[in-house]
């Protein structure tokens, strides 16, 4: 019990101190002698019901426990480790062994692919033929129901070309465009 | 007249005149086509073409011609370009051009142009007799200047992206490509180990 008394009279103060000393010595037979008894501030009321201490907090799930823990890198990957991964032979570009020379034009071509140069040549000629066809037809949806024959300079339609639509091209026949 | 005055003013500052190369550069070009960003600074790789050796003596072994060429600030990633540079290292120029022609990468087209330019330079300026008689001694990439830009995502979010640029350097040397090194066998490693053991010396002994 902490009691604070303001004593205006020094005599009363001395009496109180004496009483207090007796109280201390009476209540606790102090073995310490020089040391002060280990008394400290305490609660006025004591009992188990006053301060609830034994309730476990683990039963209530906090907000952090409902989240699934995500994978994250723990340490920085050093440049040596990164280089080992990036320069591994399976990540390097493989050299292609299927490159040949086109027998027609001499450019390089892949074995299973048409020669790019020859294809571009044919594509260009086809474009010009299509332009001629467009000029002859004059508009969309005018395609005739008969076959088409392309004739170059100095060529006459043969008996086989009876009834076919003839497209004229004003140039010499290219060597790769075989007639019939 | 203003251009002529500027030319006359800057002609003393050009380092080309200070080199004892013996060839006269025409005064009509103030701008150098290489890396204009850094105040017209000519890079180290471009300067490597300017070294002129004295004429060789009759008994000396023939020094093969070396041609240095590069392209700066290619709009491609340094890491991705490295794979292409690693591919053509040590190949002959014809083989390298063939591989690059059928590669699907964006940098392959750029490197092919650089190689063709270098081949043309070799034949025209560097006294190379056969344009197929070249091989790639060095092929490297360098990082160019990066620029940071905003990349807009949905819901008002954004991220910062890097616009990557790279340089590409190539050195062509006349002659057939050197034969590839044979891979190190276990027997060679064992021999080296035994040799190391034999090279040990005993200290503080009789």
């Amino acid at each position: 019990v902490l009691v604070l008394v303001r004593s205006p009279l020094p005599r009363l103060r001395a009496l109180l101190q004496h009483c207090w000393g007796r109280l201390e010595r009476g209540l606790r037979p102090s073995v310490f002698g020089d040391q002060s008894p280990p008394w400290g501030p305490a609660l006025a009321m004591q009992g188990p019901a006053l301060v609830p201490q034994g309730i476990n907090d683990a039963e209530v799930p906090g907000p952090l426990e409902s989240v699934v823990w995500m994978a994250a890198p723990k340490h920085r990957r050093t440049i040596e480790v990164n280089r080992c991964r990036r320069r591994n032979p399976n990540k390097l570009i493989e050299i292609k062994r299927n490159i040949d020379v086109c027998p027609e034009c001499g450019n390089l071509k892949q074995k299973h692919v048409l020669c790019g140069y020859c294809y571009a040549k044919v594509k260009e000629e086809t474009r010009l033929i299509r332009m001629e066809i467009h000029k002859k037809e004059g508009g969309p949806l005018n395609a005739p129901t008969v076959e088409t024959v392309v004739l170059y300079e100095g060529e006459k339609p043969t008996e086989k070309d009876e009834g076919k639509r003839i497209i004229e091209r004003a140039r010499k026949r290219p060597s790769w465009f075989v007639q019939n | 007249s203003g251009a002529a005055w500027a030319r006359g003013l800057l002609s003393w500052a050009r380092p080309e005149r200070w080199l004892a190369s013996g060839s006269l550069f025409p005064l009509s070009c103030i701008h150098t086509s290489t890396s204009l960003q850094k105040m017209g600074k000519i890079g180290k790789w471009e300067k490597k073409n300017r070294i002129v050796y004295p004429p060789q003596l009759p008994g000396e072994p023939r020094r093969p011609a070396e041609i240095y060429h590069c392209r700066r600030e290619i709009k491609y990633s340094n890491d991705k370009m490295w794979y292409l540079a690693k591919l053509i290292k040590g190949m002959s120029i014809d083989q390298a051009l063939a591989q690059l022609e059928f590669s699907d990468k964006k940098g392959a087209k750029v490197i092919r142009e650089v190689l063709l330019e270098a081949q043309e330079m070799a034949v025209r300026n560097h006294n190379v007799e056969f344009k197929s008689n070249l091989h790639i001694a060095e092929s490297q990439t360098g990082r160019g200047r990066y620029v940071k830009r905003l990349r807009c995502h949905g819901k008002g979010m954004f991220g910062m992206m890097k616009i990557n640029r790279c340089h590409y350097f190539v050195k062509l040397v006349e002659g057939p490509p050197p034969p590839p090194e044979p891979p190190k066998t276990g027997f060679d490693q064992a021999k080296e180990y035994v040799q190391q053991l034999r090279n040990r010396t005993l200290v503080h002994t009789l």
Side-chain angles (χ1 to χ4, degrees), chain A residues 86-87 93 95-96 108, chain B residues 83 87 91 99 101-102:
Chain A
R86 287 169 193 164
R87 297 183 183 189
I93 305 175
I95 54 170
K96 293 190 162 93
L108 295 165
Chain B
Y83 288 110
L87 175 72
M91 281 185 183
Q99 294 293 323
E101 193 178 331
F102 296 105

Side-chain angles (χ1 to χ4, degrees), chain B residues 153-158:
Chain B
H153 297 278
K155 295 193 181 179
M157 309 287 241
F158 65 93

Side-chain angles (χ1 to χ4, degrees), chain B:
Chain B
S1 67
W5 170 80
R7 246 178 262 144
L9 201 65
L10 288 173
S11 60
W12 68 269
R14 279 186 296 113
E16 292 141 28
R17 285 162 66 89
W18 300 340
L19 290 170
S21 53
S23 60
L24 280 172
F25 287 83
L27 287 172
S28 57
C29 53
I30 310 176
H31 284 299
T32 49
S33 57
T34 58
S35 62
L36 271 174
Q37 275 84 12
K38 288 189 183 175
M39 307 292 287
K41 200 168 153 189
I42 302 170
K44 280 201 285 194
W45 202 261
E46 288 91 332
K47 286 189 201 155
K48 290 197 185 211
N49 266 336
R50 297 186 191 176
I51 50 164
V52 178
Y53 297 101
Q56 285 196 287
L57 304 167
E60 265 187 270
R62 189 148 183 153
R63 191 190 296 117
E66 291 172 350
I67 302 101
Y68 295 88
H69 193 42
C70 67
R71 190 178 287 199
R72 305 276 183 179
E73 305 287 330
I74 306 164
K75 179 62 198 75
Y76 199 51
S77 161
N78 196 9
D79 302 322
K80 295 174 194 171
M81 192 65 115
W82 182 85
Y83 288 110
L84 289 161
K86 176 77 183 167
L87 175 72
I88 62 172
K89 225 181 261 191
M91 281 185 183
S92 68
I93 195 157
D94 291 334
Q95 195 189 0
L97 288 167
Q99 294 293 323
L100 292 169
E101 193 178 331
F102 296 105
S103 167
D104 298 321
K105 298 198 172 256
K106 173 172 157 184
K109 198 168 163 191
V110 174
I111 296 185
R112 190 152 191 269
E113 287 167 24
V114 172
L115 285 180
L116 288 168
E117 272 175 33
Q119 197 182 44
E120 183 69 17
M121 266 165 53
V123 172
R124 211 164 3 111
N125 304 340
H126 292 84
N127 197 22
V128 164
E129 200 178 347
F130 303 111
K131 69 175 189 178
S132 290
N133 199 24
L134 294 161
H135 71 270
I136 294 160
E138 284 171 29
S139 103
Q140 285 149 23
T141 58
R143 124 193 221 291
R145 285 158 141 228
Y146 291 172
V147 167
K148 287 195 186 162
R149 288 283 179 266
L150 219 68
R151 197 202 184 274
C152 304
H153 297 278
K155 295 193 181 179
M157 309 287 241
F158 65 93
M160 295 303 282
M161 72 172 176
K162 259 191 327 184
I163 296 197
N164 294 345
R165 293 204 196 99
C166 64
H167 308 307
Y168 178 68
F169 310 98
V170 72
K171 170 181 171 185
L172 298 173
V173 170
E174 202 175 3
E181 274 183 35
K184 210 164 187 194
T185 58
F187 185 65
D188 289 326
Q189 284 178 322
K191 269 202 300 194
E192 267 191 29
Y193 175 63
V194 168
Q195 192 55 44
Q196 270 182 3
L197 292 176
R198 285 186 180 148
N199 289 345
R200 295 178 300 182
T201 51
L202 302 167
V203 291
H204 305 314
T205 52
L206 294 165

Side-chain angles (χ1 to χ4, degrees), chain A residues 67-175:
Chain A
V67 173
V68 175
W69 292 114
M70 302 289 281
K74 193 78 181 175
H75 297 291
R76 183 208 153 110
R77 278 165 153 181
T78 56
I79 185 65
E80 294 90 3
V81 166
N82 280 337
R83 277 197 196 121
C84 287
R85 185 185 66 254
R86 287 169 193 164
R87 297 183 183 189
N88 198 29
N90 71 50
K91 295 232 172 148
L92 299 177
I93 305 175
E94 285 174 13
I95 54 170
K96 293 190 162 93
R97 298 189 188 272
N98 54 358
I99 300 175
D100 266 336
V101 175
C102 170
E104 301 291 326
C105 59
N107 290 83
L108 295 165
K109 72 182 271 296
Q110 278 188 306
K111 283 180 189 161
H112 61 290
V113 180
L114 297 173
C115 168
Y117 184 78
C118 301
Y119 178 62
K121 236 181 352 182
V122 170
K123 216 169 149 180
E124 175 61 25
E125 182 60 33
T126 317
R127 190 179 71 89
L128 296 169
I129 292 171
R130 281 194 183 135
M131 269 167 54
E132 295 284 323
I133 292 173
H134 179 76
K135 268 191 262 178
K136 201 158 194 186
E137 286 178 4
L141 309 171
N142 290 347
T145 47
V146 293
E147 285 181 32
T148 311
V149 156
V150 182
L151 293 175
Y152 287 88
E153 261 172 15
E155 283 170 19
K156 303 276 163 42
T158 60
E159 322 79 55
K160 275 197 267 184
D161 303 332
E162 293 298 306
K164 292 183 188 173
R165 171 176 69 157
I166 291 166
I167 301 287
E168 305 274 312
R169 278 277 296 129
R171 59 158 280 186
K172 194 172 72 93
R173 178 165 282 263
S175 55

